[in-house]
Every structure is written in C-alpha cells, then in structure tokens.
Amino acid sequence: MKKNALKIISFFLVFAILFSGFYNVLQYRFEDEDGIEGMKQFYKLKENSVDVMCFGSSHMFVDINTAVLWDEYGIAAYNLGGTIQPLWNTYFYMKEALKTQNPKLLVVDCFSASLTEEYQEESGMIKNTFGMKFSKNKIDAIYVSVPDNHLAYLLGYPGFHSRYSVLEREDFVEGKGIAHYDCWKGQHLLTQTNEEVAGLRMENIKEISDTEEIADKQSEYLQKIIDLAKKENIPLLLINTPYFPTEREEKIYNRVAEIAKENDVPYINYNLFYDEMGLDFSSDFADGHHLNYKGTPKFTRLLAEDMKSLFEIPDHRNETDYWDYDMMSACYHQKTANQELIETENLEAYLEGLNSENYLVVFGLSGGFAYADNYAIIGNALAEYGIYPDAEAGNQFYVINQKDGQVIYSSLDNMKQTDSISTATVETKQSRWDSELGSYDVVSVRCPTEEDYENGYSSVVVEYNHRIYCPIYEGLTIFVYDTLNETMVETVGFYLENGSFCLNKWR
Amino acid sequence: MLFNSYSFMLFFPIVLCIYFVIPKKARHLWLLVASYYFYMGWNAKYAILIAISTIVTYLGGLCIEKWKEKRKWIVAGVVLINLSILFFFKYFDFFLGNVNRILSLFGANSLQKGFDILLPVGISFYTFQALGYTIDVYRGTIKAEKNFLKYALFVSFFPQLVAGPIERSGNLLRQINRVEQIKLWNYRRITEGAVLMLWGYFLKMVIADRVSIVVDQVYDSYWMYGSVEIIIASVLFAIQIYCDFASYSQIAIGAAKIMGFELMENFNTPYFASSIRDFWRRWHISLSTWLRDYVYIPLGGSRCSKARKYLNLLLTFLISGLWHGANWTYVVWGMIHGIYQIVEDATESVRDKLVLKLHIMTNNFSYRFGQILVTFVLTDFAWIFFRANYLSDACQMIGRIVTKWNPWVLFDGSVYNLGLNITEVHILLVALIVLFLVDLVRYKKQVTLDMFLSTQNLWFRFAVIFGLLFFILIYGEYGPGFSAKQFIYFQF
C-alpha cells in the first residue's frame, strides 16, 4: 500500500515538474503590443512605484512615450494595454492594476469607444486576458470578451499547446531574451514611417460638432471605468491620441466628451491639436493609427504638459529607487539612435553616427579600397582609432569597442607573422575573429576563405547568429552591434564603383 | 458528452470519487444516475428513448419467462418496437428520400414530412445491446433480470453507451449483479484502466483527429486531386476510422476497468488480418459477433447449402452496412465486404491448389505479409465507399485513382499542402510508429498495452506513460480552434 502510494505521489510530482516546464515554454510570448507581455511585466513592478497608469489599445501603448515622460518630466508611467483592447478589457486591466499600484493619475485612451462589436475578433481579443494572473478579474474579463470556450481560455494551456510549431529562442529564455526587458514600461516603439498617411488628414475636423451614440457595451464599461476611478479616489484623464479618425469616430469622441463632462472628468481629444504639438505628417506617423519614434515625443510632451497642469504628479528623477526608469530611457534612446543610423544613407554621416558608446563596430575593407579617390573619408575616420589600413594587404577588418574607442581586434596583426630566421613577413592563410555578444548572440568575422569565394563572397564576411552577411563585392563593410540592447543594428556596405567609394550604403 | 470534452474530464473523476466512497449497495444506483446524466449532456429529451427501450426489453424479458409458450410473439413484439424506434429516428429520412426518388421517376409529387428528426447518439448501440439481452432470455441462455435498476444500468452503462463495445448480457449484466462485491481499491487494475484510457486518447487526439484534416480536405473536394492524393487520403482514412473507433472502445474499456468492470475486446490489430474473414474477427468484434449470433446463425449460418450460406453472408453484411448509417454508401460498403467473404470462401480451394502448384512457401514472413497487404488493400478499397459523401463520389474517386496518375506530388512538396505541414507530418509519422509498435506487440504476444506495461519495470512504465501523456498534451488536436499564427498581427 505504502509502495503504491509512493508511486502515485512520484507520478504526480514528475508530472507537475514536466508540465510546468512545457507550460512555460509553450505559453504565448507575443510582441509587446499584444497585451500579454505588458501585463506580465506589470506584475513584476514594485508596489506603488507607478504614478501614471495608462490604459487602452495600441493607440495608447504606442503613442505615449514613457521615456520622454521620464526624461523630461520625471513622470514614472506604465502603459498597460493590448491590441484592439475594448473598454471592457481596459476596465479589468484597471481593476487588476489597482491591486498593487496606487497611481496619482489614470489615463485611458478612448479609441475603443468607437468600436461597435459585441465581441471583437476572438483570437485577437482573448489574448488580452492571457497575461493576467488567475483571478476573478481574469475570469470576468474572459466571460465578457468571448461568447464561448471560457474554460479553455481560463485554463490557458488548451489555447496555446499547439504553439509547438512556432517556438523560437524567446520562448525558452527569460524576458524573451531581450536585454533589460525587466525595465521596459509598456511602450511599443514603432520605427517605420508612412508618408502617405498625410492624405488621410481631415481638414475640417474641428468643425465636427455632432455626436453619435457609443455602442451599449463600450458605453457601459466607459461608465464603469469612470466609477472605478471615483471609487478609488484616483484622478482620471480620458484622451484620444492623435491619428486620422473618420467623421463617425469624431462624433463618437464628441459623445465621449459629453459623458466626461457629465461625470466631471477631463477629456482631451488630441486629434484637435495636431498643430499645437507640431506633428509633421510626412515623417511622424508609422501608419494611419500610430505615431512613430519621431512623432511620439511631440505628442507626449503636450500630454505631459496637460497632465502637469491638471494634476499633481511628482518628479522622481535622480531617485535611486527609480533606476529602472533610467535604464528604460537609455535603452529607448539607443533604439532610436539605432533607427536613425539605419536611416542614414550617406557615408560621412554614417561614420559620424557610429560614435555611440554602446556600439561594437567592425570595419571590413576589401579589394582596392585604398586607391579610391575618396578614400580619405574612411582613412581619416579610421585614423581616429589609430587604424592605418595596409593598401597592399587586400581584405582586412578591425573590431572597435566604442565604449573606450579601443581596437579589440585587427585582422592585419593576425594575418602577418614574423619568420624568426629570415625576419621576412609571411601571410597566414586566413584571419578570423569569433566572439559571443550579449547573452545569446555569436558573431564570426573573417576574411573570405576559398569556400567563401566559391560561394560568391569576396569581401569581409560577417556571420551573425550563423547567418552570413556579405553585402558588397569590394569596398567597406560595417557591422554594428548595440551592446546595451544586445542586438545587431545592421551590417551594410559601401561598395567601390569606378574608383570611388559609393556614398550610399548597400544592404 | 464526448470522452475528449472538458465536461467528461470533470464528470469522470467526480463519478469515480463518489463511486469509490459510497456504500456498496448504492453503487449501481449511482452509476445509473451518472449514465443518464452522461447521456443527457448531449440531449436530455432523448434519454426518454433509452428509458423506453429499457422498459420494453425489461418487461419483455420477464414476460418471456412467465409465458414461455408465447415467447415467440413476445420476442417478436419487443424486437419490432425497438427496431421501429431505431427505424424512425435513424432511417426514416433515408427511407423517405428513396421513396421520393422512386416517385420522381414516375413523375409523382414527393412526400413531405412536417418535422425534423435528430439522430439520437448511440441508438444503434444500445438498441442492439438491449435486443441481444431479449434474444438471450428467449433462448434461455440467461435468466431475465428482475432488478429493474440493474437492468437499466446494463442498457445505459455510460462508458460504452454511445459507441460500444456492444456488451452481452452474459458478461456485463452478470458483472452489474456483482457490483457490490467488486474490490475497488486495486492498484494494478486501476492503473491498467488508466493506461487504456490514455492510449485511447492518444489514438483519438493525436492520430485520428490529425489524420482527419487530410482526409476531409481530399474527400470533400476530391475533384481537385489526382491519384496519389486520393490514395494517401484513403490509406489515412483507414487509419482514422481505426484510431477513432478503437479509441472510443479503449477509453470505454479503460474507464470501466477503473470502476471494476471488464468489457469485451472490440478491436484486435485489424490491419494485421490475413484475410477478410480474419479482418472481421479483429474489427468491431462486439458488432460482428452480435451479427453472427443474432442474425447470421438464425438465418441458417453456414450449416446449409453454399448458395444459402452466401446469401446469409450477404444479408448479414448488408445489415452491418445499414447499421453503420442511413446512406447507400454504407450499404454498398457492407455489400462489398459480403462479396469479399463469398469470393474468399468460393476460391479457397482454387487458391490452395495454386499455391501448391506454384510451389509458393506459406510458412514464412513474405507470404503472411502478402496476405496482410492484400487484405489491407481490399478493406481500404471498401473504406472509400464508407467515407465518401455520396456513392457517385466514391465511384468518381476510384475513377480518378485510375486515370489521374500524378506521382510528382510526392516530390514537389504538394503533399504538404493537404492540410498538414511538414512538422505535422513528422508528428504523425512518429505517432504512427508508436501505434505500429503497440499493435505489433499485441499481434505477436497477444498482450494489450496495459498488460504489457504492467510486466515492465517502473522506469519504463513511467517513461511510456509520460511519453504518451505529453504527446497528447502537446500534439493532441484540442483547444479553441485557432492557430498560434492567427494571433500574430497588428491591426490597431
């Protein structure tokens, strides 16, 4: 009897261990915007450490720039949202957030007030509950979000067990394998620019004064949100982030304004203040609904000014407890710098842009680079690091850590060895630099081998995470790695053409 | 309530817990309540049909014993009432459709019915089980059951209620009568039952439901596919129908075993059969033996002229086909199997002579393998009619197998566009290897998985059980119907 009991206990013990392992690996780890990671990271925050809690759909978590709020106003904010998040999701997010945080201000984006469906598209909607811990709020959020499959979604596992076919590195490592992910404050950075959205602008937007009724379910939860804030005695600010709304949506927002007024809650529709925030429609939007990294600071500054003028929000800059905000800001700024570098096409400007202390840079020179008539641009830049390439040596590369400006590897030094008897200089067959970068990346840079030549690679070869980058035939290859965010920025080339370095890069 | 539903995952442990702790005398009552709840989980109203069938056959049994001289009339009445219910709920639409087809040939107006009939789940199973009991009492094989509640449990015993095995009164009713004597806390029996259930879930959720994706895609738009795809889908359907059906039986047998009941075996490595006759000794054993005992033998069986014997065979298999469903595709499927058996029997001596004359060695692997292969091809050909949506579809599919030869789809990656991508195909192949190994052990050693495992060392048992368990948990087809990729988008 005892033996059998022992067997049963060990069975369930082993099962529990194995199952929790599989559960952790298989569960959803969406991109930031999908309403899972935001909630999971939120649970890791210290209690009562956030002053401004922002809720809403992607309009909110893309456009409200937590780094700008921190850097320029000392506001400790967190964006807790999910894609297509209707107001009933927002309501339960808010209830969940207020269990551990006692913010000075709640900000709710009201884009979802314009949604009309009783249930949004199921697979898109239900994931907004996946990041929530098991609680009454989670149960309520599931029941209000989908008409059926409640038990499966509550258990979670039946919904994500089939992810075995899409597993990748981020599913197996803590924090998705992203450096300093624990400091992230819920903002999703969009880097792309869509110039064509400018045509979507409604010129007479300020003249729309009619209202349109909000769908019953959204309206009910908007009221619940207002009531919850009042009950908790926390100021509430309703907003709409800037985008290109339709006339119907603007009428809905006019109705939101009425409801806000009836409840004595401030509401700001930032669609009416494009000019005040100085938005450039040709460069500041990622798409018709979201600002990009150039646009979010402009909007966020106006939002911060409004928040500061309407509410009492403390400035926590220079407080050691808020070091994670400093780190979040540093990571954010490095990411925007990376994007600016990626967008830089000109050789001189590009070399200038490499001067970030978080970069590890590989310069690879190939072919008759030294005879190019504009070689001085490169020669001068390399001379600043004490690098003087050998025109006769052919392919060669240099690895520089920008933190201290030191050359940590020179292929030239490793290619030439001195013969102790004849004191003649002989060339070794190949030079190669291998290194681990960050926590999970590996890079291997080499002068091309015979096999590389056979494969069509004739200039310096960069192999990053086992993928080969060799963008040019001859000229300058640059590999840039961001050591703060632990990711490759890019590998590009400036090729030789008609005896000159092409001034625009080649990917 | 389906075995692979969340409701059953809650229902079964609750039923078990209470069954294990209540007084012995209440066990049959509790199982009866649970069985009716199980059935009513699908459609509460149709539980009345089981109740009617139960009452009629219960009273029929008592009457047969009481008025022995009139027992023929009584048994005829009981059979008629039960078959009438079965006919009305299962075959009325089919019958009406055929009558209207005939009427239309003569230009007459078709007959309309002013009501809809929903096919009651498991009606063919419990009706045959209850009729089997009545005929057994009529033949004097068993005594009529006096305890109505115990008899009601025999008809409605939830593990095998909706998909068999079709139990015999001599087996299940006898065990129900001794339910109070069952020693419930038997570690080995319980674990063996659990292993059988696990194996059943593996067959259903990993293999049958995965394979059905390809089968449905090809069979539902066969005109889009050539020979190779139709052959692949048909071979896979043979696997699907086996795994689907056998899985229900395994879960039923396992669940009953945990509760202390031994249900009859229903499938015994059918695709290792060396002849069609052998196939029917291994496939859906509870039905084939039921038809043998209550249809084929009463018709005269094989103790009559050859012609009569063949007619009996054909009739039995036509009934078998019709039992499976109200569609000509099933009737033709049954007929094909009847013809197979007739041809097999009629050509036996010729084949034996041919083997001798050609000096073919029969006591070796290649001969047995050849027999198994031929039997599989024949049964699989018949499955085309079983699965096709219409008879005409089946004929056209066979036509396409012959005329639309397209072997290149095996090499250009087209086979991965049949609903299962390369990862899914690999998972399926691993699962099929596991199925093959388990069936091979069964075929060679005549031991089922539970029996095989109970003789192995603990580490091996644990390894196999965890392997199956996590194969099901990860690769099983279940959960809300969306793929992981559906989630990856950015809409707002």
Side-chain angles (χ1 to χ4, degrees):
Chain A
M1 186 72 183
K2 265 187 186 174
K3 206 175 156 189
N4 289 338
L6 201 66
K7 281 184 206 166
I8 293 168
I9 291 166
S10 0
F11 176 86
F12 283 106
L13 204 67
V14 175
F15 175 78
I17 293 166
L18 290 174
F19 185 70
S20 68
F22 285 116
Y23 188 97
N24 275 329
V25 168
L26 287 166
Q27 65 180 310
Y28 283 106
R29 277 175 184 76
F30 280 107
E31 294 299 316
D32 308 332
E33 73 270 23
D34 278 295
I36 293 176
E37 291 300 327
M39 190 48 108
K40 283 186 184 169
Q41 292 299 323
F42 171 80
Y43 286 125
K44 293 177 187 169
L45 295 175
K46 275 180 290 183
E47 278 195 25
N48 300 326
S49 62
V50 178
D51 287 328
V52 177
M53 282 297 312
C54 307
F55 301 92
S57 67
S58 57
H59 284 221
M60 176 282 295
F61 65 70
V62 168
D63 289 358
I64 297 181
N65 190 319
T66 52
V68 170
L69 286 177
W70 176 251
D71 289 343
E72 299 179 23
Y73 302 91
I75 296 174
Y78 193 91
N79 293 353
L80 187 57
T83 304
I84 355 169
Q85 186 181 82
L87 289 168
W88 52 86
N89 265 164
T90 302
Y91 172 69
F92 289 109
Y93 268 39
M94 195 183 272
K95 281 185 85 172
E96 194 66 5
L98 296 180
K99 281 182 180 174
T100 54
Q101 299 294 334
N102 184 23
K104 307 288 180 293
L105 175 64
L106 301 166
V107 177
V108 172
D109 174 70
C110 296
F111 164 73
S112 301
S114 65
L115 303 177
T116 53
E117 294 88 347
E118 174 82 4
Y119 298 100
Q120 305 296 323
E121 195 270 316
E122 184 167 323
S123 62
M125 186 45 40
I126 194 64
K127 71 192 178 332
N128 286 336
T129 64
F130 283 177
M132 296 172 82
K133 283 182 182 171
F134 186 80
S135 61
K136 187 175 181 306
N137 286 334
K138 178 166 181 159
I139 297 170
D140 291 342
I142 288 172
Y143 272 85
V144 79
S145 296
V146 286
D148 44 30
N149 284 325
H150 300 129
L151 184 60
Y153 289 132
L154 190 60
L155 293 171
Y157 187 81
F160 58 69
H161 77 95
S162 55
R163 284 192 70 243
Y164 58 82
S165 57
V166 293
L167 291 180
E168 48 192 30
R169 188 184 73 182
E170 68 175 45
D171 294 299
F172 294 87
V173 297
E174 192 60 31
K176 303 190 357 166
I178 296 172
H180 312 296
Y181 198 60
D182 51 344
C183 298
W184 178 66
K185 302 299 173 198
Q187 195 219 345
H188 182 72
L189 177 71
L190 291 185
T191 52
Q192 70 271 30
T193 300
N194 188 334
E195 298 169 9
E196 291 167 11
V197 295
L200 299 172
R201 183 177 181 178
M202 200 172 11
E203 292 298 338
N204 63 342
I205 192 165
K206 290 185 180 174
E207 293 160 21
I208 299 169
S209 55
D210 293 346
T211 59
E212 187 166 318
E213 208 48 59
I214 303 169
D216 288 348
K217 196 169 169 184
Q218 300 284 7
S219 175
E220 177 193 342
Y221 278 90
L222 178 61
Q223 192 58 50
K224 282 188 172 185
I225 287 167
I226 293 169
D227 294 344
L228 177 64
K230 283 187 177 163
K231 187 182 154 212
E232 297 289 335
N233 202 22
I234 302 172
L236 173 68
L237 172 62
L238 301 175
I239 63 164
N240 268 104
T241 61
Y243 73 108
F244 301 100
T246 62
E247 191 172 335
R248 188 193 75 81
E249 286 167 354
E250 268 306 302
K251 288 178 183 172
I252 294 269
Y253 301 149
N254 287 341
R255 177 66 191 128
V256 173
E258 285 180 357
I259 293 170
K261 198 171 179 186
E262 287 160 17
N263 288 278
D264 199 21
V265 170
Y267 165 71
I268 305 171
N269 180 359
Y270 285 99
N271 291 315
L272 307 177
F273 301 101
Y274 296 140
D275 298 331
E276 285 79 351
M277 62 187 92
L279 281 180
D280 180 345
F281 294 96
S282 64
S283 66
D284 293 347
F285 279 87
D287 53 50
H289 282 265
H290 308 98
L291 297 167
N292 63 14
Y293 74 105
K294 293 174 198 154
T296 59
K298 296 177 183 175
F299 156 65
T300 304
R301 282 182 196 114
L302 187 59
L303 173 68
E305 296 293 344
D306 289 335
M307 287 197 293
K308 284 275 187 185
S309 64
L310 289 167
F311 310 97
E312 286 287 325
I313 302 168
D315 182 344
H316 288 296
R317 279 175 290 187
N318 302 320
E319 289 181 26
T320 48
D321 278 355
Y322 286 82
W323 65 271
D324 49 336
Y325 277 87
D326 288 329
M327 181 55 81
M328 175 272 294
S329 170
C331 290
Y332 167 80
H333 288 295
Q334 190 56 56
K335 281 180 189 169
T336 58
N338 295 349
Q339 184 56 30
E340 280 165 5
L341 188 71
I342 289 167
E343 290 177 15
T344 304
E345 294 290 329
N346 177 268
L347 176 58
E348 283 176 275
Y350 198 87
L351 293 171
E352 196 67 28
L354 292 174
N355 291 325
S356 161
E357 65 167 15
N358 295 318
Y359 284 158
L360 181 133
V361 184
V362 175
F363 290 99
L365 292 160
S366 331
F369 64 90
Y371 304 103
D373 49 24
N374 54 354
Y375 170 68
I377 300 171
I378 297 164
N380 293 340
L382 292 178
E384 286 183 28
Y385 303 105
I387 297 170
Y388 300 97
D390 182 345
E392 304 304 319
N395 292 320
Q396 53 200 279
F397 64 88
Y398 308 91
V399 184
I400 295 158
N401 185 351
Q402 294 284 33
K403 192 118 195 151
D404 50 15
Q406 291 298 305
V407 179
I408 55 176
Y409 186 90
S410 161
S411 68
L412 214 53
D413 296 343
N414 290 277
M415 282 169 78
K416 290 180 179 175
Q417 292 177 348
T418 307
D419 187 317
S420 58
I421 301 169
S422 65
T423 66
T425 301
V426 294
E427 271 192 28
T428 55
K429 278 186 179 171
Q430 194 215 342
S431 183
R432 166 184 175 131
W433 177 73
D434 299 333
S435 179
E436 286 186 17
L437 297 174
S439 305
Y440 305 105
D441 302 323
V442 287
V443 68
S444 174
V445 187
R446 61 177 180 265
C447 295
T449 60
E450 281 178 24
E451 195 184 332
D452 287 325
Y453 280 115
E454 282 170 19
N455 290 327
Y457 305 131
S458 60
S459 63
V460 170
V461 177
V462 177
E463 197 172 331
Y464 175 72
N465 288 342
H466 310 292
R467 188 183 153 188
I468 288 180
Y469 297 82
C470 187
I472 51 165
Y473 178 68
E474 61 173 343
L476 171 66
T477 302
I478 302 177
F479 163 80
V480 191
Y481 185 83
D482 171 0
T483 56
L484 182 65
N485 289 302
E486 297 185 358
T487 182
M488 180 179 83
V489 179
E490 63 176 348
T491 301
V492 294
F494 293 86
Y495 58 89
L496 279 174
E497 190 177 53
N498 302 327
S500 291
F501 269 102
C502 174
L503 291 176
N504 290 323
K505 70 186 178 189
W506 181 262
R507 287 189 181 87
Chain B
M1 197 183 293
L2 294 170
F3 283 153
N4 59 342
S5 65
Y6 296 113
S7 330
F8 187 75
M9 299 296 153
L10 282 174
F11 167 84
F12 188 57
I14 292 170
V15 169
L16 266 190
C17 289
I18 296 173
Y19 176 68
F20 271 58
V21 297
I22 54 171
K24 289 177 180 175
K25 286 191 173 175
R27 282 177 185 170
H28 66 280
L29 189 63
W30 170 241
L31 289 182
L32 180 64
V33 171
S35 296
Y36 268 78
Y37 180 82
F38 176 87
Y39 194 78
M40 287 157 77
W42 167 74
N43 186 324
K45 281 183 281 184
Y46 277 12
I48 295 167
L49 290 179
I50 302 184
I52 291 171
S53 192
T54 305
I55 292 166
V56 169
T57 48
Y58 171 75
L59 292 176
L62 292 178
C63 292
I64 288 165
E65 273 197 349
K66 194 165 185 186
W67 295 293
K68 285 193 171 145
E69 65 288 357
K70 291 180 181 171
R71 64 186 198 277
K72 266 193 180 176
W73 292 105
I74 297 166
V75 81
V78 171
V79 169
L80 192 69
I81 292 169
N82 277 282
L83 289 185
S84 301
I85 296 172
L86 181 63
F87 173 81
F88 179 76
F89 283 95
K90 189 163 179 174
Y91 300 104
F92 188 78
D93 282 343
F94 177 59
F95 174 75
L96 195 66
N98 285 304
V99 168
N100 282 337
R101 213 167 290 162
I102 294 165
L103 288 175
S104 71
L105 288 177
F106 297 100
N109 291 333
S110 58
L111 303 171
Q112 301 294 328
K113 69 175 171 61
F115 49 86
D116 286 325
I117 305 169
L118 183 65
L119 176 68
V121 168
I123 189 168
S124 310
F125 288 91
Y126 68 73
T127 302
F128 268 38
Q129 187 160 312
L131 286 180
Y133 160 80
T134 309
I135 297 167
D136 283 348
V137 175
Y138 165 78
R139 286 173 177 170
T141 321
I142 56 151
K143 291 199 162 182
E145 176 58 50
K146 307 284 185 302
N147 186 322
F148 177 72
L149 295 178
K150 285 186 175 172
Y151 178 71
L153 176 60
F154 163 70
V155 178
S156 65
F157 188 49
F158 76 84
Q160 43 85 244
L161 173 59
V162 291
I166 303 167
E167 269 299 337
R168 302 304 183 81
S169 48
N171 182 32
L172 184 60
L173 194 53
R174 185 179 49 81
Q175 292 184 61
I176 290 172
N177 271 316
R178 293 194 290 120
V179 69
E180 291 155 30
Q181 292 151 34
I182 294 172
K183 191 182 163 222
L184 292 181
W185 297 99
N186 180 325
Y187 175 80
R188 183 167 170 164
R189 197 201 67 235
I190 292 170
T191 51
E192 285 184 354
V195 166
L196 282 177
M197 288 184 81
L198 192 65
W199 180 239
Y201 282 115
F202 177 82
L203 294 179
K204 169 70 180 161
M205 294 163 75
V206 178
I207 302 180
D209 289 351
R210 179 168 270 105
V211 156
S212 72
I213 297 168
V214 177
V215 175
D216 291 349
Q217 181 158 329
V218 175
Y219 269 74
D220 292 345
S221 49
Y222 64 87
W223 54 90
M224 303 281 287
Y225 298 103
S227 177
V228 172
E229 291 110 329
I230 294 174
I231 290 171
I232 289 173
S234 298
V235 170
L236 289 180
F237 179 67
I239 294 166
Q240 183 196 344
I241 185 88
Y242 169 46
C243 290
D244 205 289
F245 211 166
S247 70
Y248 270 80
S249 293
Q250 292 288 336
I251 297 168
I253 294 167
K257 197 167 188 175
I258 293 174
M259 295 188 289
F261 295 89
E262 289 288 339
L263 298 184
M264 69 185 292
E265 202 51 71
N266 216 11
F267 292 87
N268 179 9
T269 60
Y271 294 133
F272 281 116
S274 56
S275 66
I276 295 295
R277 194 188 301 161
D278 189 24
F279 175 79
W280 281 102
R281 279 196 289 261
R282 296 166 177 278
W283 180 271
H284 203 179
I285 300 162
S286 65
L287 175 70
S288 52
T289 52
W290 195 99
L291 290 169
R292 181 196 65 201
D293 294 345
Y294 302 116
V295 178
Y296 180 67
I297 290 174
L299 282 171
S302 52
R303 292 182 180 175
C304 49
S305 69
K306 279 251 172 187
R308 182 57 205 256
K309 178 186 167 185
Y310 293 155
L311 182 68
N312 292 344
L313 266 175
L314 202 60
L315 276 172
T316 307
F317 276 94
L318 282 174
I319 290 170
S320 170
L322 205 56
W323 180 89
H324 282 86
N327 193 324
W328 285 110
T329 52
Y330 297 115
V331 177
V332 171
W333 170 77
M335 193 181 71
I336 291 171
H337 271 280
I339 292 168
Y340 281 164
Q341 294 248 30
I342 293 166
V343 173
E344 199 170 271
D345 190 79
T347 60
E348 194 173 7
S349 57
V350 179
R351 282 184 287 127
D352 287 348
K353 279 178 193 166
L354 208 63
V355 164
L356 277 175
K357 197 157 192 177
L358 296 172
H359 304 294
I360 298 169
M361 290 186 292
T362 55
N363 193 22
N364 57 17
F365 168 76
S366 61
Y367 185 76
R368 279 194 300 275
F369 180 71
Q371 285 182 311
I372 289 169
L373 196 65
V374 170
T375 308
F376 180 79
V377 171
L378 290 172
T379 49
D380 199 27
F381 175 78
W383 284 135
I384 296 176
F385 289 88
F386 192 93
R387 171 61 183 81
N389 298 326
Y390 302 99
L391 260 187
S392 55
D393 285 8
C395 296
Q396 290 196 35
M397 287 175 77
I398 292 163
R400 291 185 80 82
I401 290 176
V402 178
T403 58
K404 303 284 179 185
W405 182 236
N406 59 340
W408 56 86
V409 298
L410 291 170
F411 307 99
D412 66 3
S414 303
V415 283
Y416 298 118
N417 297 329
L418 298 176
L420 296 182
N421 62 25
I422 195 160
T423 313
E424 293 294 322
V425 169
H426 288 162
I427 293 165
L428 181 62
L429 285 177
V430 172
L432 289 178
I433 290 168
V434 173
L435 169 65
F436 176 76
L437 290 176
V438 171
D439 270 11
L440 190 66
V441 170
R442 174 91 195 272
Y443 178 68
K444 287 280 181 194
K445 295 184 180 291
Q446 289 303 314
V447 285
T448 51
L449 182 65
D450 55 325
M451 290 152 69
F452 174 75
L453 283 183
S454 61
T455 58
Q456 303 302 316
N457 289 326
L458 185 68
W459 73 267
F460 186 78
R461 288 209 300 272
F462 267 36
V464 172
I465 290 169
F466 280 124
L468 286 176
L469 194 55
F470 282 101
F471 215 96
I472 296 165
L473 282 172
I474 296 170
Y475 300 123
E477 298 283 332
Y478 66 99
F482 54 78
S483 74
K485 284 190 173 170
Q486 249 180 292
F487 280 87
I488 303 166
Y489 66 108
F490 191 93
Q491 201 170 332
F492 281 83

